[in-house]
Amino acid sequence: MAAPATTAPAPPGRRKSVTGTRRTVAFLFLLPALVLLGALVVYPIGYSLIRSFYNANGDGFAGFDNYKAIFTDDGIRTALKNNIIWVVFAPTVSTALGLVFAVLTERIRWGTAFKLVVFMPMAISMLAAGIIFRLVYDQDPDKGVANAVWVGIHDTFAQSSAFPNAHPGRESPLKPDQGGFVTTATVHTGQTVSLPLVGVAPDQMPDGAKKAVAARPDPGKITGTAWQDFTRGKGVGRLGAPDPSELGYDGMRVEAVKDGKVVASAEAAADGTFTLPAAADGAQLRLPASNFKQPYNGVDWLGPSLVTPAIIGSYIWMWAGFAMVLIAAGLAGVPRELLEAARVDGATEWQVFRKVTVPLLAPVLAVVTVTLMINVLKVFDLVYIIAPGSSQDDANVLALELYRKGFAEGQPGIASAIAVFLLLLVIPVMWFNVRRLRREERR
């Protein structure tokens, strides 16, 4: 029987030729991607690094002066401080909310709809989100939702004055006193006192206000009227006396003061009339400052002290849904047998969540947190759009300062140094993320 034919091995030179051809083909396929990578990533990084060592004109070597400015310039130091606040709070709160949403919606029937609503802000651009929250944080309660809610809650427990702009008019018997007004002369029993004021718009008068009437004298008491002494039209009405079209100051507080002490007080009726007892004889009548307290206008969300937390709140509104979706995907892979075993052993739901669910989700939580940390280091749009010009210095972050130095202040060298500094901050976080992903792949 003939022996089977064997194939002779290829000559060494031919094997090398085939390997070289394959490498050439692979390189040609990768060449467009390498060109784009070099043009859009490597070249800008290299150019920024070189440019960071030159002065503003680019014709003189500045050494490390641009990098020194990062730690000495007040604006950049504020931006660095705010970036630290962003990195600490924004990813932490977003991840925590995402975890809570993912766990709580796991067992409810409408959990998918809830997740859709929470994730929906991710479909909105940073520009649109910035415009939305610029309106939400508007100081005017008639425009800003945040202050509309806050003022509504405040006014439920502390009613504002109805006469914030009231003040004495011409030939008035009142003079200013400690934020309020006091009569220039003392009053006595049996006397009627006129306390005319102006400055309250007709549509701002109390709803219960009625037509002002002149008070009738009472021999053992002091009576008077506090009213809006203004009638529309030239030459209409009498100055210092109630007219048929004028309204009384319903609820106006009147105090009788002797030697700096309040001896009696009263509130004006709907028609503006009031009555004080005989104890007010020889006193001056005072309209205290509480009558003229300005209405509560809410919180200055975009002021220097709250602008950074307010902008972080808008970021959390956008990115909590992102964290929720990733954590929910990780939660779907958690073995249910472990959770049921913990419940059978007598663990409460809080103990199951804290000692079983969270440890099993630790890799996912780490990836989400690190991803958000990288994201907040580059935050620019929200700060630039939401923070008004008066508070932009207080809300400043490194990415915004980079833009301002490079385009508004004409200091591209310092802007390049900030860009390189941001890259150095991001690299360790990216390295941690890549290393964790590789560990997960080995498992």
Side-chain angles (χ1 to χ4, degrees):
M1 187 173 180
T6 57
T7 304
R14 185 176 178 181
R15 190 182 301 122
K16 290 180 182 178
S17 177
V18 171
T19 304
T21 302
R22 288 177 178 174
R23 288 178 178 173
T24 302
V25 172
F27 176 77
L28 290 175
F29 273 105
L30 291 173
L31 184 60
L34 293 175
V35 171
L36 288 175
L37 183 68
L40 301 179
V41 178
V42 178
Y43 173 74
I45 292 176
Y47 182 79
S48 297
L49 180 62
I50 295 171
R51 190 68 181 80
S52 67
F53 291 101
Y54 283 82
N55 59 18
N57 297 324
D59 55 3
F61 186 74
F64 288 94
D65 290 345
N66 292 330
Y67 289 93
K68 291 179 183 177
I70 295 176
F71 303 99
T72 56
D73 184 274
D74 290 338
I76 302 178
R77 288 168 64 182
T78 300
L80 184 58
K81 179 195 72 175
N82 287 336
N83 263 102
I84 294 173
I85 296 173
W86 272 87
V87 169
V88 171
F89 289 101
T92 306
V93 177
S94 298
T95 304
L97 282 177
L99 175 62
V100 171
F101 291 154
V103 172
L104 292 182
T105 57
E106 186 186 20
R107 295 185 178 182
I108 57 178
R109 287 191 305 172
W110 45 272
T112 303
F114 179 83
K115 290 176 182 176
L116 177 64
V117 172
V118 176
F119 187 74
M120 198 176 293
M122 284 296 298
I124 303 174
S125 69
M126 286 281 197
L127 172 64
I131 294 173
I132 290 170
F133 275 87
R134 181 66 181 268
L135 296 173
V136 167
Y137 292 133
D138 195 288
Q139 181 67 40
D140 187 353
D142 294 331
K143 297 178 182 178
V145 175
N147 265 341
V149 174
W150 195 265
V151 169
I153 295 172
H154 174 273
D155 289 350
T156 301
F157 301 98
Q159 190 66 34
S160 299
S161 168
F163 320 108
N165 299 313
H167 59 275
R170 293 177 294 128
E171 302 177 15
S172 175
L174 297 167
K175 63 180 181 180
D177 177 71
Q178 300 177 6
F181 306 100
V182 67
T183 55
T184 54
T186 57
V187 297
H188 301 279
T189 54
Q191 180 182 353
T192 59
V193 184
S194 296
L195 302 178
L197 295 171
V198 296
V200 181
D203 59 342
Q204 299 297 319
M205 290 291 287
D207 294 336
K210 297 180 180 180
K211 292 182 179 180
V213 297
R216 295 180 179 180
D218 189 325
K221 298 178 181 179
I222 298 170
T223 57
T225 305
W227 80 101
Q228 173 80 353
D229 188 22
F230 175 79
T231 303
R232 292 180 180 275
K234 186 176 180 181
V236 178
R238 297 168 297 162
L239 186 65
D243 295 318
S245 61
E246 296 172 346
L247 298 176
Y249 280 138
D250 182 20
M252 176 73 74
R253 183 174 177 79
V254 182
E255 296 177 343
V257 181
K258 283 184 181 180
D259 301 324
K261 295 181 180 181
V262 178
V263 295
S265 63
E267 280 193 4
D271 58 5
T273 58
F274 60 88
T275 302
L276 290 168
D281 185 60
Q284 289 178 289
L285 299 191
R286 181 174 66 187
L287 303 178
S290 59
N291 289 316
F292 314 102
K293 184 173 60 176
Q294 291 293 325
Y296 182 67
N297 204 35
V299 178
D300 189 8
W301 298 103
L302 299 181
S305 58
L306 289 178
V307 62
T308 295
I311 300 173
I312 290 176
S314 67
Y315 178 90
I316 293 170
W317 176 78
M318 288 193 68
W319 287 88
F322 167 82
M324 177 196 65
V325 170
L326 292 187
I327 295 170
L331 190 61
V334 172
R336 299 297 176 224
E337 298 82 6
L338 296 177
L339 303 179
E340 294 303 327
R343 294 187 181 102
V344 170
D345 289 340
T348 63
E349 289 299 323
W350 170 246
Q351 290 173 326
V352 171
F353 172 75
R354 185 167 58 91
K355 296 185 177 181
V356 180
T357 305
V358 172
L360 290 174
L361 288 175
V364 178
L365 295 176
V367 170
V368 172
T369 304
V370 171
T371 302
L372 293 178
M373 287 175 65
I374 295 173
N375 187 268
V376 299
L377 282 171
K378 303 179 295 180
V379 69
F380 164 80
D381 318 59
L382 289 177
V383 180
Y384 183 72
I385 297 166
I386 296 177
S390 58
S391 300
Q392 202 167 83
D393 288 341
D394 300 284
N396 202 8
V397 290
L398 287 174
L400 176 59
E401 186 64 16
L402 185 157
Y403 169 82
R404 294 169 68 177
K405 283 285 189 284
F407 297 98
E409 300 178 17
Q411 301 183 56
I414 295 179
S416 299
I418 296 173
V420 174
F421 182 67
L422 270 175
L423 177 65
L424 294 176
L425 291 178
V426 170
I427 285 176
V429 184
M430 292 178 60
W431 175 80
F432 173 81
N433 215 10
V434 171
R435 187 178 177 186
R436 175 171 285 278
L437 290 174
R438 286 180 176 174
R439 269 205 310 266
E440 293 296 323
E441 288 176 0
R442 294 193 195 104
R443 293 178 185 177

